Amino acid sequence: MGSTNGNPGDQETAPQKGPTEWNEGRHGVGPWAEEHPGEPLPDDANYDPELLAEGDRRNVVDAYRYWSRPAIVRDIDKRRHPLHIAIENFENDANIGTVVRTANAFAVDTVHIVGRRRWNRRGAMVTDRYQHLEHHTDVAALVEWAKARELPIVAIDNTPGCVPLETAELPERCLLLFGQEGPGVTQDAQDAAVMTCSIAQFGSTRSINAGVAAGIAMHAWIRQHADLSTAW
């Protein structure tokens, strides 16, 4: 507890803020003229005149402030990883938005939606605007697409005979395939995969949320193959 005798030397020092609290309450930046008084507008085609004039409140990293959407996509395209993500969507899974947002954070090449074309974009937090997406009518169509590009499929599910994700060596070029909340990866998808990896669990629940599982698996790939010096 801090001192109550009024002596500043005896008062407890306030804890330092962590990364999640930096700029708390602030969303984006205002117009360039307000944020950079006296400085000329950037002479760069990447910048969007409207954002420079009105401010940039988007959910983007500081390096992309005031950039146009096409310019951001072009820049990410230069650094995308040879990792593809697919998620089955036969029952209108609500986790797809989370998967897309995480894929964007890790600069995944493409997210493939298998089954229903429509999906709940709320969880994506508009990151789908910067992430390449592709639709496949069914698992067979996805498998055909992957085979044509010699892209091995790795399914993620907790079923007998799985390889622990914690010890698996993931291919550098691959497609991680996730099932839906509840039923998991379909049998057709597992049959097409070079291996199925499981995520170690230690509690009572039978499964991990599909969006969380996707994030864990993507990060496992990042740990094995990404150049961390290029991370923000």
Side-chain angles (χ1 to χ4, degrees), residues 172-194:
E172 183 174 8
R173 290 185 66 258
C174 70
L175 184 152
L176 298 182
L177 174 59
F178 303 91
Q180 299 176 111
E181 193 72 30
V185 178
T186 59
Q187 189 60 52
D188 287 346
Q190 290 195 49
D191 291 343
V194 295

Side-chain angles (χ1 to χ4, degrees), residues 12-179:
E12 187 178 45
T13 302
Q16 296 296 311
K17 290 188 175 184
T20 59
E21 297 169 295
W22 295 340
N23 295 325
E24 65 181 339
R26 185 178 182 184
H27 303 284
V29 292
W32 178 272
E34 294 180 5
E35 299 288 339
H36 305 273
E39 295 184 22
L41 292 175
D43 183 17
D44 189 325
N46 289 326
Y47 288 83
D48 185 300
E50 184 175 340
L51 293 173
L52 288 169
E54 299 181 4
D56 186 354
R57 309 295 180 181
R58 301 171 301 172
N59 176 28
V60 297
V61 296
D62 289 345
Y64 291 143
R65 284 295 176 207
Y66 303 113
W67 281 34
S68 69
R69 187 193 309 175
I72 293 174
V73 174
R74 285 194 300 270
D75 191 68
I76 298 174
D77 283 346
K78 299 175 184 176
R79 303 179 291 102
R80 288 194 193 276
H81 295 119
L83 172 65
H84 290 251
I85 301 299
I87 183 165
E88 296 178 317
N89 184 37
F90 300 114
E91 299 177 4
N92 201 22
D93 199 310
N95 291 288
I96 295 177
T98 299
V99 174
V100 170
R101 182 180 181 183
T102 306
N104 169 266
F106 293 141
V108 162
D109 187 294
T110 303
V111 174
H112 302 262
I113 312 298
V114 184
R116 295 167 60 105
R117 184 180 293 274
R118 293 177 60 85
W119 53 279
N120 188 337
R121 283 173 160 73
R122 183 174 182 180
M125 298 289 287
V126 304
T127 54
D128 52 308
R129 297 178 181 178
Y130 310 93
Q131 177 62 54
H132 296 308
L133 304 173
E134 192 155 340
H135 175 256
H136 305 269
T137 55
D138 52 29
V139 172
L142 174 71
V143 172
E144 182 179 353
W145 182 94
K147 283 184 176 180
R149 291 155 181 79
E150 299 183 345
L151 198 65
I153 296 174
V154 177
I156 306 295
D157 204 351
N158 282 7
T159 54
C162 288
V163 178
L165 179 64
E166 295 74 21
T167 59
E169 294 186 11
L170 299 174
E172 183 174 8
R173 290 185 66 258
C174 70
L175 184 152
L176 298 182
L177 174 59
F178 303 91

